[in-house]
Amino acid sequence: MTFRQFAFNNVLRNKRLYIAYFLSSMFTVMVFFTFAIFAFHPAFSGGDINRNIIFGMAVAGGIIYVFSFFFVLYSMSSFLQSRKKEFGLLIMMGASDRQIRLMVFLENILIGFCATVGGILGGLIFAKFILLIAENVLIIEESLHFYFPAMAIAVTFGSFLVLFFLISIFVSFILRTNKLTDLIKGDKKSKGEPKASVFLSIIAAILLIAGYVTAVLVKGIFVVYAMIPVILVVVIGTYLLFTQLSVFIIRLLKKNKSIFWKKTNMLLFSDLSFRMKDNARTFFLVAIISTVAFSAIGSLYGFQSILTKDVKNSTLYDVTYSPWGDDTKEVIQQDIQKINAILEEDNIEAVSETMDEEIFNISEQISSVQIVKASDYNRFAALTGKEELHPAEMEAIVVGQSEAILTEDTKVDEMMMQEEIQIQDGREIIPSSIIQSAVLDIYNPYYVVNDSIYGQLGEPVRSDVSAVWAAKDAQEEQIIEVGRKLNEQLEHKAYSIDYSIYEINKTFGPILFIGLFIGIVFFVSAGSFLYFRLFTDLDEEKRKFKAIAKIGLTQKELKKVVNRQVALLFFSPIVVALVHGAVALTALSHLFNYNLTTESALVLGSFTVIQVIYFLIVRFIYVRQVRRTIL
């Protein structure tokens, strides 16, 4: 058997450990290859799409490539750590340090080559499916037909072969073999009882609580100012949580006899503190990476939701027209005729209303505020089926935009309630109430007054015109086409709400698509880190449970202990990441004064479901391995 065959057989014999490394690496290659397929697609050969989407794809591909470097480094360190005894036996049989480094180099090259080829083949298999999804998510007019991505294959194959080659050289160069006795003993060497600093444990709790409270309490622009300090505090607190506080809590539980001596808890807690201490850095890394994935995807999805819902809530009409201030009546009339012609051209039946918008100065505090006749308001309300307003003769109703966000309208509403509107005969109109409504396409709060008193308000400081159209039984695609034509012919004067949302989704779709891919790569990698750490200690766990089984441990008790142990180690960093992500998305909602509960629940819930499925698969494999040992 040649040395190359020996290295190849080593990979096959350690397939239980290498499989997660191989699959995760293959998935990373497949995602990078997917981006390459987009980047070199003929549909993106020019125009705005090339500048916007392809640039984002290139950045995302770079992020994944750099992350892959560190991911492979970590994975290899986990494997080398678990193979101390193997290296010791090889040295006893006459292997030199140079031969061991060469063996590690060949093994990594083999796995890297197979992962690269597998990732490219997997990408080709799912390429058409991914292109179909992207065509809808990215909202592009071009058809993303399937093509043979020769350039994408060459770039991906070359890039990752270089990556694995550099990693292999780096790992084999830094590899150091310890003393032979230490290698042979491997993980049998006693580490002593893990100790935790009470002071650092308290500091961890204080830092996390302070970070959470600050992130939840600050609002508006102060969220931006508090962001960096809160991130630093929470990151430090998370590290101390896993290295100190978790060990301290386990030691307290072990001292509690009612808990420690209950059923199989002794087996559960006996070495839990050791494993928490040994895996602290892994848990910290997983928690931070997962938090980045949760927060990035949640923020992108939430921000898109904020933009689209803000536009939806700003008007109830399919088409809205607001002329420029210096437009004459003839120009306004021509514009309205042009809008009617466009609607007729696309076979859309619509009803419309037109209103003069008159702006008045009420006081020094409230200047340039619009006052609307009740009859005008009610004409528009009837158009959309909303409730009419009927203020008394000397009464005014303050109307704010429905569910207005990203504004300080609430404060303006309250100021307007404190003002009295003077009319020409010296009497004063008293504001009586505040309501929220989108009946009129007016972004700022305004007054609605009785028609009989409106003529005594005096001369307005400015007068504008507003016109709206509500379509009857029109398809969304028709309204979007009307909006496109309006944007071409009456830019900044007339717009369609559906077309505005279409443009937002078209602009934001690539960002969300790219962010989702990067987040999934980070999340899968985080799950792989947990898999590596869990199965690195499997041989020791087998010996422990085999010894315990000889003194009466049943299969049911074994399964119960293993399930709890694996669940604690698997979900500890994920739960911390979910809490971090929930706090981060809460802070984002405070920044924009917008409730992101639904979006946050959807993002965090989806990742939780994925993690539970991953856990069930890993637990099944782990329990089966342990049970085979004691049967």
Side-chain angles (χ1 to χ4, degrees):
M1 182 172 62
T2 64
F3 194 80
R4 287 190 297 272
Q5 291 174 328
F6 177 73
F8 178 78
N9 290 332
N10 258 350
V11 174
L12 293 180
R13 284 193 294 267
N14 288 282
K15 57 181 177 292
R16 172 175 53 79
L17 274 176
Y18 279 114
I19 188 65
Y21 170 39
F22 169 76
L23 291 177
S24 299
S25 299
M26 187 180 74
F27 179 80
T28 303
V29 173
M30 187 169 70
V31 173
F32 182 89
F33 179 60
T34 301
F35 283 125
I37 290 177
F38 285 119
F40 297 105
H41 198 285
F44 298 151
S45 58
D48 293 336
I49 294 178
N50 184 53
R51 290 194 300 271
N52 298 329
I53 298 180
I54 300 306
F55 176 76
M57 293 290 181
V59 172
I63 292 173
I64 293 175
Y65 191 77
V66 173
F67 182 78
S68 300
F69 181 87
F70 294 102
F71 170 72
V72 173
L73 263 182
Y74 177 87
S75 304
M76 286 305 300
S77 66
S78 296
F79 299 143
L80 298 178
Q81 185 71 20
S82 65
R83 297 174 65 188
K84 286 183 178 179
K85 183 179 292 185
E86 177 186 341
F87 293 154
L89 291 173
L90 289 174
I91 291 174
M92 285 184 63
M93 297 172 63
S96 64
D97 289 351
R98 181 176 177 276
Q99 288 176 315
I100 291 178
R101 292 194 187 98
L102 179 60
M103 179 186 70
V104 172
F105 173 83
L106 292 174
E107 289 175 357
N108 200 43
I109 285 291
L110 174 62
I111 295 173
F113 177 81
C114 294
T116 302
V117 173
I120 292 174
L121 292 176
L124 287 173
I125 292 172
F126 294 104
K128 181 58 181 176
F129 175 70
I130 295 173
L131 288 172
L132 286 174
I133 294 177
E135 189 173 332
N136 292 280
V137 174
L138 298 179
I139 312 180
I140 56 178
E141 297 176 0
E142 292 83 353
S143 175
L144 296 180
H145 59 274
F146 179 77
Y147 75 108
F148 186 75
M151 183 62 70
I153 292 174
V155 170
T156 304
F157 189 78
S159 299
F160 275 88
L161 276 189
V162 170
L163 183 145
F164 283 108
F165 180 77
L166 293 176
I167 287 291
S168 301
I169 292 178
F170 182 73
V171 170
S172 61
F173 179 75
I174 64 172
L175 180 64
R176 293 289 183 270
T177 53
N178 300 326
K179 294 181 180 180
L180 181 60
T181 53
D182 294 334
L183 292 174
I184 294 298
K185 290 181 179 179
D187 50 18
K188 289 183 179 180
K189 189 175 180 180
S190 176
K191 304 173 185 178
E193 177 70 14
K195 295 181 180 179
S197 168
V198 177
F199 174 75
L200 292 178
S201 298
I202 296 174
I203 291 296
I206 293 174
L207 289 176
L208 290 174
I209 293 172
Y212 288 162
V213 171
T214 303
V216 170
L217 292 183
V218 294
K219 298 183 184 298
I221 193 63
F222 294 104
V223 174
V224 178
Y225 299 147
M227 183 181 299
I228 300 301
V230 167
I231 290 175
L232 291 175
V233 165
V234 170
V235 168
I236 296 172
T238 303
Y239 182 78
L240 294 177
L241 167 67
F242 290 116
T243 58
Q244 302 294 328
L245 184 57
S246 61
V247 177
F248 178 73
I249 293 174
I250 293 171
R251 293 192 66 175
L252 288 180
L253 292 174
K254 289 171 71 173
K255 292 179 180 179
N256 190 321
K257 294 183 179 180
S258 60
I259 296 176
F260 185 69
W261 292 94
K262 184 178 180 180
K263 296 183 178 179
T264 56
N265 284 352
M266 181 186 296
L267 295 178
L268 176 65
F269 290 113
S270 60
D271 65 344
L272 188 59
S273 56
F274 287 96
R275 303 197 71 178
M276 290 298 293
K277 192 79 171 183
D278 289 343
N279 298 326
R281 292 181 180 178
T282 301
F283 291 166
F284 167 73
L285 187 63
V286 169
I288 298 302
I289 290 175
S290 300
T291 300
V292 171
F294 298 155
S295 301
I297 296 176
S299 298
L300 291 172
Y301 181 49
F303 193 58
Q304 183 188 34
S305 177
I306 289 172
L307 292 177
T308 54
K309 287 187 178 180
D310 187 27
V311 172
K312 287 179 182 178
N313 293 332
S314 65
T315 182
L316 300 174
Y317 309 101
D318 296 298
V319 176
T320 303
Y321 170 72
S322 298
W324 293 332
D326 57 351
D327 282 348
T328 63
K329 290 184 178 180
E330 291 76 13
V331 172
I332 293 173
Q333 188 62 34
Q334 291 174 4
D335 289 344
I336 291 176
Q337 290 176 357
K338 189 177 293 185
I339 294 172
N340 287 326
I342 291 174
L343 289 168
E344 186 177 349
E345 180 184 340
D346 285 270
N347 299 316
I348 296 177
E349 183 182 355
V351 291
S352 66
E353 288 289 354
T354 304
M355 181 185 72
D356 292 329
E357 297 182 348
E358 296 186 331
I359 313 299
F360 298 85
N361 284 336
I362 303 302
S363 65
E364 293 182 0
Q365 289 77 25
I366 305 295
S367 61
S368 301
V369 66
Q370 187 165 337
I371 302 179
V372 179
K373 288 190 294 186
S375 59
D376 286 341
Y377 180 91
N378 292 336
R379 282 191 295 112
F380 281 71
L383 195 64
T384 56
K386 298 296 182 180
E387 185 179 353
E388 297 182 354
L389 296 180
H390 299 282
E393 184 179 1
M394 299 305 294
E395 177 190 9
I397 299 174
V398 179
V399 182
Q401 181 61 273
S402 178
E403 300 181 18
I405 59 174
L406 305 180
T407 69
E408 297 293 332
D409 280 354
T410 303
K411 295 180 181 179
V412 177
D413 292 347
E414 295 172 354
M415 291 175 61
M416 291 173 63
M417 280 295 293
Q418 305 302 318
E419 296 293 333
E420 297 175 347
I421 307 171
Q422 287 199 352
I423 58 177
Q424 292 176 335
D425 62 7
R427 291 184 296 169
E428 295 178 337
I429 302 175
I430 309 299
S432 61
S433 61
I434 301 175
I435 68 168
Q436 301 294 319
S437 171
V439 166
L440 298 182
D441 190 38
I442 302 173
Y443 198 68
N444 296 317
Y446 56 93
Y447 291 110
V448 175
V449 300
N450 191 284
D451 285 28
S452 63
I453 209 71
Y454 188 83
Q456 301 184 43
L457 292 173
E459 289 297 321
V461 296
R462 191 175 78 251
S463 182
D464 297 322
V465 175
S466 176
V468 298
W469 285 259
K472 295 181 178 180
D473 302 323
Q475 298 293 324
E476 183 179 349
E477 292 77 11
Q478 291 178 289
I479 301 298
I480 290 174
E481 179 61 22
V482 167
R484 186 186 63 79
K485 293 178 180 179
L486 292 174
N487 189 60
E488 292 175 353
Q489 301 179 34
L490 295 169
E491 188 177 7
H492 304 311
K493 295 169 69 174
Y495 72 93
S496 162
I497 187 69
D498 291 306
Y499 181 73
S500 299
I501 294 174
Y502 169 81
E503 284 295 310
I504 290 174
N505 290 333
K506 185 177 180 179
T507 301
F508 220 82
I511 301 174
L512 186 62
F513 186 73
I514 293 167
L516 180 64
F517 262 94
I518 295 176
I520 290 175
V521 169
F522 278 29
F523 192 68
V524 169
S525 300
S528 300
F529 290 159
L530 293 174
Y531 181 96
F532 297 150
R533 291 305 305 166
L534 193 64
F535 280 85
T536 296
D537 301 328
L538 181 58
D539 291 335
E540 181 183 357
E541 291 297 294
K542 286 181 177 180
R543 291 192 297 268
K544 181 183 74 175
F545 284 111
K546 185 176 182 180
I548 298 174
K550 293 179 179 179
I551 57 176
L553 183 70
T554 64
Q555 289 288 326
K556 183 178 180 180
E557 290 172 332
L558 167 68
K559 189 175 181 180
K560 183 178 180 181
V561 172
V562 173
N563 284 341
R564 289 182 177 181
Q565 184 171 282
V566 173
L568 280 172
L569 296 175
F570 208 85
F571 285 108
S572 293
I574 300 301
V575 169
V576 172
L578 287 172
V579 175
H580 287 355
V583 172
L585 294 177
T586 301
L588 180 68
S589 66
H590 289 168
L591 174 62
F592 295 107
N593 189 28
Y594 184 86
N595 190 347
L596 288 173
T597 302
T598 302
E599 291 78 7
S600 302
L602 181 61
V603 172
L604 298 178
S606 299
F607 277 108
T608 301
V609 170
I610 295 172
Q611 191 67 19
V612 169
I613 295 173
Y614 191 19
F615 162 74
L616 293 175
I617 295 172
V618 172
R619 186 198 63 174
F620 173 78
I621 298 172
Y622 192 87
V623 172
R624 186 179 62 179
Q625 292 282 343
V626 174
R627 289 180 63 181
R628 284 179 178 176
T629 304
I630 65 176
L631 288 178

Coordinates of all heavy atoms in Angstrom, one line a residue, residues 315-321 343 348-351 383-384 468-476 479-480 482-483 486 494-500:
T315 N -51.6 55.7 0.8 CA -52.8 56.0 0.0 C -53.7 54.8 -0.2 O -53.2 53.7 -0.2 CB -52.3 56.5 -1.4 OG1 -53.4 56.9 -2.2 CG2 -51.5 55.5 -2.1
L316 N -54.9 55.1 -0.5 CA -55.9 54.0 -0.8 C -56.2 53.9 -2.2 O -57.1 53.1 -2.6 CB -57.2 54.3 0.0 CG -57.1 54.4 1.5 CD1 -58.5 54.9 2.1 CD2 -56.7 53.1 2.1
Y317 N -55.6 54.7 -3.1 CA -55.9 54.8 -4.5 C -54.9 54.2 -5.4 O -53.7 54.1 -5.1 CB -56.1 56.3 -4.8 CG -57.1 57.0 -3.9 CD1 -56.6 57.8 -2.9 CD2 -58.5 56.8 -3.9 CE1 -57.4 58.4 -1.9 CE2 -59.3 57.4 -3.0 CZ -58.8 58.2 -2.0 OH -59.6 58.8 -1.1
D318 N -55.4 53.7 -6.5 CA -54.5 53.1 -7.5 C -53.6 54.1 -8.2 O -52.4 53.7 -8.5 CB -55.3 52.3 -8.5 CG -56.1 51.2 -7.9 OD1 -55.5 50.2 -7.3 OD2 -57.4 51.2 -7.9
V319 N -54.1 55.2 -8.5 CA -53.3 56.3 -9.2 C -53.5 57.6 -8.5 O -54.7 57.9 -8.1 CB -53.7 56.4 -10.7 CG1 -52.9 57.6 -11.3 CG2 -53.5 55.1 -11.4
T320 N -52.5 58.3 -8.2 CA -52.5 59.6 -7.6 C -51.7 60.6 -8.4 O -50.7 60.3 -8.9 CB -51.9 59.5 -6.2 OG1 -52.6 58.5 -5.4 CG2 -52.0 60.9 -5.4
Y321 N -52.3 61.9 -8.5 CA -51.7 62.9 -9.3 C -51.5 64.2 -8.4 O -52.5 64.6 -7.8 CB -52.6 63.2 -10.5 CG -52.1 64.5 -11.3 CD1 -51.0 64.5 -12.0 CD2 -52.9 65.6 -11.2 CE1 -50.6 65.6 -12.7 CE2 -52.5 66.8 -11.9 CZ -51.4 66.8 -12.7 OH -51.0 67.9 -13.3
L343 N -55.2 54.9 -18.7 CA -56.1 54.0 -18.1 C -57.0 53.3 -19.2 O -57.2 52.1 -19.2 CB -56.9 54.7 -17.1 CG -56.2 55.1 -15.8 CD1 -57.1 56.0 -14.9 CD2 -55.8 53.8 -15.0
I348 N -58.7 49.8 -18.3 CA -59.0 49.8 -16.9 C -60.1 50.9 -16.7 O -60.0 52.0 -17.0 CB -57.7 50.2 -16.1 CG1 -56.7 49.2 -16.2 CG2 -58.1 50.5 -14.6 CD1 -55.4 49.5 -15.6
E349 N -61.2 50.4 -16.1 CA -62.3 51.3 -15.7 C -62.0 51.8 -14.3 O -61.8 51.1 -13.4 CB -63.6 50.6 -15.7 CG -64.8 51.4 -15.4 CD -66.1 50.7 -15.4 OE1 -66.1 49.5 -15.7 OE2 -67.1 51.3 -15.1
A350 N -62.0 53.2 -14.2 CA -61.7 53.8 -12.9 C -62.6 55.0 -12.6 O -63.1 55.7 -13.5 CB -60.2 54.2 -12.8
V351 N -62.8 55.3 -11.4 CA -63.6 56.5 -10.9 C -62.6 57.4 -10.3 O -61.6 57.0 -9.7 CB -64.7 56.1 -9.9 CG1 -65.8 55.4 -10.7 CG2 -64.2 55.3 -8.8
L383 N -65.5 57.3 -2.2 CA -64.8 56.6 -3.3 C -64.2 55.3 -2.8 O -64.0 54.4 -3.6 CB -63.7 57.6 -3.9 CG -63.1 57.2 -5.2 CD1 -64.1 57.2 -6.3 CD2 -61.9 58.1 -5.5
T384 N -63.7 55.3 -1.5 CA -63.1 54.1 -1.0 C -63.9 53.4 0.1 O -63.4 52.4 0.7 CB -61.8 54.5 -0.3 OG1 -62.0 55.6 0.6 CG2 -60.8 55.1 -1.4
V468 N -57.2 61.7 -7.8 CA -57.0 60.3 -7.5 C -57.9 59.5 -8.4 O -59.0 59.9 -8.8 CB -57.2 59.9 -6.0 CG1 -56.3 60.7 -5.1 CG2 -58.7 60.2 -5.6
W469 N -57.5 58.2 -8.7 CA -58.3 57.3 -9.4 C -58.3 55.9 -8.7 O -57.3 55.5 -8.2 CB -57.6 57.0 -10.8 CG -57.8 58.2 -11.8 CD1 -58.7 58.2 -12.8 CD2 -57.0 59.4 -11.8 NE1 -58.6 59.4 -13.5 CE2 -57.6 60.1 -12.9 CE3 -56.0 59.9 -11.1 CZ2 -57.0 61.4 -13.2 CZ3 -55.5 61.1 -11.4 CH2 -56.0 61.8 -12.5
A470 N -59.5 55.4 -8.6 CA -59.7 54.1 -8.0 C -60.2 53.1 -9.1 O -61.3 53.3 -9.6 CB -60.7 54.1 -6.8
A471 N -59.4 52.1 -9.4 CA -59.7 51.2 -10.5 C -60.8 50.2 -10.0 O -60.8 49.8 -8.8 CB -58.5 50.5 -10.9
K472 N -61.6 49.7 -11.0 CA -62.6 48.7 -10.7 C -62.2 47.4 -11.3 O -62.0 47.3 -12.5 CB -64.0 49.1 -11.2 CG -64.5 50.4 -10.6 CD -65.9 50.7 -11.2 CE -66.5 51.9 -10.5 NZ -67.9 52.2 -11.1
D473 N -62.0 46.4 -10.5 CA -61.7 45.0 -10.9 C -60.5 44.9 -11.9 O -60.5 44.2 -12.9 CB -63.0 44.4 -11.7 CG -64.2 44.4 -10.8 OD1 -64.0 44.1 -9.6 OD2 -65.3 44.6 -11.3
A474 N -59.5 45.7 -11.6 CA -58.3 45.6 -12.4 C -57.3 44.7 -11.8 O -57.2 44.5 -10.6 CB -57.7 47.0 -12.5
Q475 N -56.5 44.0 -12.7 CA -55.5 43.1 -12.3 C -54.3 43.9 -11.8 O -54.0 45.0 -12.3 CB -55.1 42.1 -13.4 CG -56.2 41.2 -13.9 CD -56.6 40.2 -12.8 OE1 -55.8 39.7 -12.1 NE2 -57.9 39.9 -12.8
E476 N -53.5 43.3 -10.9 CA -52.3 44.0 -10.4 C -51.3 44.3 -11.5 O -50.7 45.3 -11.5 CB -51.7 43.2 -9.3 CG -50.5 43.8 -8.6 CD -49.9 43.0 -7.5 OE1 -50.5 42.0 -7.1 OE2 -48.8 43.3 -7.1
I479 N -52.3 47.5 -13.3 CA -52.0 48.7 -12.6 C -50.5 49.0 -12.6 O -50.0 50.1 -12.7 CB -52.5 48.6 -11.2 CG1 -54.0 48.3 -11.1 CG2 -52.1 49.9 -10.4 CD1 -54.8 49.4 -11.7
I480 N -49.7 47.9 -12.5 CA -48.2 48.1 -12.6 C -47.8 48.6 -13.9 O -46.9 49.5 -14.0 CB -47.5 46.7 -12.3 CG1 -47.7 46.3 -10.8 CG2 -46.0 46.8 -12.6 CD1 -47.1 45.0 -10.5
V482 N -49.7 50.5 -15.9 CA -50.1 51.9 -15.9 C -49.1 52.7 -15.2 O -48.7 53.8 -15.6 CB -51.5 52.0 -15.3 CG1 -51.8 53.5 -15.0 CG2 -52.6 51.4 -16.2
G483 N -48.6 52.2 -14.0 CA -47.6 53.0 -13.2 C -46.4 53.2 -14.0 O -45.7 54.2 -13.9
L486 N -47.0 56.0 -16.5 CA -47.1 57.2 -15.8 C -45.7 57.7 -15.3 O -45.4 58.9 -15.4 CB -47.9 57.1 -14.5 CG -49.4 56.9 -14.8 CD1 -50.2 56.6 -13.4 CD2 -50.1 58.1 -15.5
A494 N -47.4 61.9 -11.2 CA -48.4 60.9 -11.1 C -47.7 59.6 -10.8 O -46.6 59.3 -11.4 CB -49.2 60.8 -12.4
Y495 N -48.3 58.8 -10.0 CA -47.7 57.5 -9.7 C -48.8 56.5 -9.3 O -49.9 56.8 -8.9 CB -46.7 57.6 -8.6 CG -47.3 57.8 -7.2 CD1 -47.5 56.8 -6.3 CD2 -47.5 59.1 -6.8 CE1 -48.1 57.0 -5.1 CE2 -48.1 59.4 -5.5 CZ -48.3 58.3 -4.7 OH -48.8 58.5 -3.4
S496 N -48.5 55.2 -9.5 CA -49.3 54.1 -9.1 C -48.7 53.4 -7.8 O -47.5 53.2 -7.8 CB -49.4 53.1 -10.2 OG -49.9 51.8 -9.7
I497 N -49.5 53.2 -6.8 CA -49.1 52.6 -5.6 C -48.5 51.2 -5.8 O -47.5 50.8 -5.3 CB -50.2 52.5 -4.5 CG1 -49.7 52.1 -3.2 CG2 -51.4 51.7 -5.0 CD1 -48.7 53.1 -2.5
D498 N -49.2 50.4 -6.7 CA -48.7 49.1 -7.0 C -47.4 49.1 -7.8 O -46.5 48.2 -7.5 CB -49.8 48.3 -7.9 CG -51.0 48.0 -7.1 OD1 -50.9 47.4 -6.0 OD2 -52.1 48.4 -7.5
Y499 N -47.2 50.1 -8.6 CA -45.9 50.2 -9.3 C -44.8 50.6 -8.4 O -43.7 50.1 -8.5 CB -46.0 51.2 -10.5 CG -44.8 51.4 -11.3 CD1 -44.3 50.4 -12.1 CD2 -44.0 52.5 -11.1 CE1 -43.2 50.5 -12.9 CE2 -42.8 52.7 -11.8 CZ -42.4 51.7 -12.7 OH -41.2 51.8 -13.4
S500 N -45.1 51.5 -7.4 CA -44.1 51.9 -6.4 C -43.7 50.7 -5.6 O -42.5 50.5 -5.3 CB -44.7 52.9 -5.5 OG -45.1 54.1 -6.2

